[in-house]
Amino acid sequence: MIDKLDAIKERFEEVGQLLIQPDIASDIKKFTSLNKEYKDLEKVVKVYDEYCLINANLKEAKNVLQNEKDPDFREMAKSEIDDLSPKKEELEDELKKLLIPKDPNDSKDAILEIRAGTGGDEAAIFAGDLFRMYQRFAEKEGWTLRVLDLTEGSAGGYKEIVSTVSGDDVYGKLKFESGVHRVQRVPATETQGRVHTSAASVAVLPEMDDVEVDLDMNDIRKDTFCSSGPGGQSVNTTYSAVRLTHNPTGLVVTCQDQKSQIKNFEKALGVLRSRLYEIELKKHNDEVGGMRKSMVGSGDRSDKIRTYNYPQGRVTDHRINMSVHNLPTVMDGEIGNFIEELRIAENAEKMQDGNEE
């Protein structure tokens, strides 16, 4: 572990020197990439420096205890060893977690897709409730959420709603939300007070750029049409909305968020890249199907992951068997505890896999 940490510190210092080079500073793309690497490495180096300091003090205290005859000095050294030993263990554990390989997509922005599933009108209403939950969570995190396309439900909510979410560590947190969310409650349309079960699926995809996903523009058909819904004077007067069809896969992406056709085209292209990446990733995961599937972070949109039980005020995450009895608070965007516990479980799986190797 120490060899790895020494190499990280060496790279950290190297990147620090590169960042002050004029040719790097003038290349925005390269500077941004190195600056991000510097910040990621800094988190590890800070803990490692503290670990090295405590380790040096611990060695010195042990040396005093071994060679010193004066009882007062020996007592001070023993006291310092008692204080520093648990701190050293804590930092060792923290460093092990920091050395767990990170998903390179964790720092990316995300595409958030919510679709009503089984349950008719009630499923669309629940999809709308989930969207508002993520909207509140994004606000609390200081993220920016923009709706790209939506289809409203006949009794409220959404049959489908697609958004982009941008900010710090967006995909790294929201990726755990991919899967089927079930709701158990009495629908507004139910006259006899019976509890119904409905569902909505959530897909969270990392936003990919053109370098990461090879996209042949000859494979894409572009259609334009008048946008509908909120949007000011340009609604239904200009062909600003864009629909892209990827011929090899049949994927269709629509964007009518912007008044500019060019901007809508760029955003739709971004969503298409992310969906194609998801297909390739699934293909890759299927090919290495012999590997143990992660219970926490598979991100499969067909996995049943969470149930929202309104009569009991309970929310249960089935992947980690975690239940809370504050459903209104959760629906108001307080999902951070679930995400944190899921991250801990994912890290534990990765550490176990690393030990097995």
Side-chain angles (χ1 to χ4, degrees):
M1 186 173 84
I2 298 300
D3 288 345
K4 271 187 187 178
L5 291 164
D6 284 337
I8 286 170
K9 188 165 184 177
E10 191 178 322
R11 175 60 183 167
F12 172 72
E13 288 165 359
E14 182 188 345
V15 173
Q17 289 300 311
L18 286 170
L19 284 169
I20 58 174
Q21 301 300 318
D23 58 326
I24 298 291
S26 60
D27 186 334
I28 294 172
K29 199 168 184 180
K30 195 173 281 186
F31 180 83
T32 304
S33 173
L34 283 170
N35 193 45
K36 184 192 171 303
E37 184 185 356
Y38 184 84
K39 286 179 179 176
D40 289 341
L41 294 171
E42 189 177 29
K43 292 172 190 172
V44 183
V45 171
K46 275 185 176 178
V47 179
Y48 183 44
D49 283 346
E50 191 181 349
Y51 172 81
C52 289
L53 182 62
I54 283 177
N55 207 30
N57 290 340
L58 201 53
K59 281 181 181 176
E60 194 177 327
K62 284 178 179 176
N63 187 48
V64 169
L65 191 64
Q66 192 174 350
N67 300 308
E68 184 60 57
K69 301 288 189 269
D70 187 292
D72 289 338
F73 276 115
R74 287 177 60 82
E75 187 58 38
M76 284 171 62
K78 191 173 181 303
S79 176
E80 191 168 12
I81 290 167
D82 290 342
D83 284 344
L84 293 176
S85 293
K87 287 181 183 174
K88 181 188 174 185
E89 284 182 21
E90 282 175 22
L91 289 170
E92 277 179 352
D93 287 342
E94 193 174 344
L95 285 167
K96 282 176 186 174
K97 287 175 186 172
L98 287 168
L99 288 176
I100 294 170
K102 286 186 174 62
D103 183 338
N105 293 324
D106 278 357
S107 59
K108 293 184 188 295
D109 294 340
I111 310 290
L112 172 66
E113 303 179 344
I114 305 170
R115 291 179 178 84
T118 53
D121 288 342
E122 170 63 8
I125 292 168
F126 178 53
D129 293 339
L130 287 177
F131 173 71
R132 280 184 288 278
M133 180 181 81
Y134 293 126
Q135 208 172 23
R136 301 280 189 277
F137 181 64
E139 287 169 8
K140 294 173 199 291
E141 292 290 315
W143 297 341
T144 302
L145 185 149
R146 290 192 69 107
V147 176
L148 296 183
D149 190 39
L150 61 86
T151 305
E152 292 181 342
S154 55
Y158 306 104
K159 289 180 181 175
E160 178 182 22
I161 183 163
V162 181
S163 313
T164 58
V165 190
S166 53
D168 293 333
D169 199 24
V170 173
Y171 181 72
K173 291 181 179 178
L174 281 184
K175 66 181 179 182
F176 297 109
E177 296 302 300
S178 281
V180 175
H181 297 240
R182 294 190 311 161
V183 63
Q184 294 171 328
R185 65 184 175 190
V186 180
T189 53
E190 169 60 50
T191 55
Q192 296 180 30
R194 290 174 300 186
V195 173
H196 288 226
T197 299
S198 305
S201 68
V202 174
V204 180
L205 317 172
E207 269 199 357
M208 312 305 291
D209 60 37
D210 51 358
V211 176
E212 295 165 301
V213 176
D214 186 21
L215 201 56
D216 188 345
M217 297 308 291
N218 293 320
D219 291 337
I220 298 170
R221 190 180 81 236
K222 174 186 170 186
D223 298 305
T224 59
F225 58 98
C226 294
S227 58
S228 58
Q233 292 180 345
S234 62
V235 172
N236 293 326
T237 59
T238 60
Y239 286 82
S240 58
V242 172
R243 182 187 299 110
L244 300 182
T245 304
H246 187 246
N247 294 322
T249 59
L251 284 174
V252 178
V253 176
T254 304
C255 182
Q256 51 181 324
D257 168 52
Q258 301 287 328
K259 293 180 182 180
S260 160
Q261 186 187 122
I262 294 170
K263 287 182 178 177
N264 280 331
F265 174 73
E266 288 171 354
K267 288 198 169 189
L269 212 54
V271 176
L272 184 58
R273 283 195 196 100
S274 295
R275 289 187 184 169
L276 288 170
Y277 172 79
E278 184 192 31
I279 290 170
E280 287 303 312
L281 185 64
K282 188 175 187 306
K283 197 188 295 180
H284 170 74
N285 289 342
D286 288 345
E287 285 171 2
V288 292
M291 294 170 63
R292 184 169 60 86
K293 184 181 177 184
S294 167
M295 183 181 72
V296 176
S298 66
D300 191 325
R301 60 175 79 198
S302 65
D303 288 347
K304 292 181 180 65
I305 64 165
R306 200 175 292 153
T307 297
Y308 305 75
N309 186 304
Y310 275 71
Q312 296 176 17
R314 186 185 74 239
V315 183
T316 301
D317 195 294
H318 305 293
R319 294 162 294 181
I320 50 175
N321 293 321
M322 176 182 173
S323 290
V324 297
H325 289 82
N326 58 345
L327 188 145
T329 311
V330 171
M331 298 312 291
D332 196 40
E334 292 292 341
I335 57 173
N337 287 342
F338 281 113
I339 288 169
E340 186 55 33
E341 289 301 321
L342 286 159
R343 281 184 125 172
I344 290 167
E346 184 187 51
N347 284 343
E349 280 187 351
K350 285 180 178 177
M351 287 177 80
Q352 188 179 343
D353 289 346
N355 292 336
E356 285 172 2
E357 286 168 13

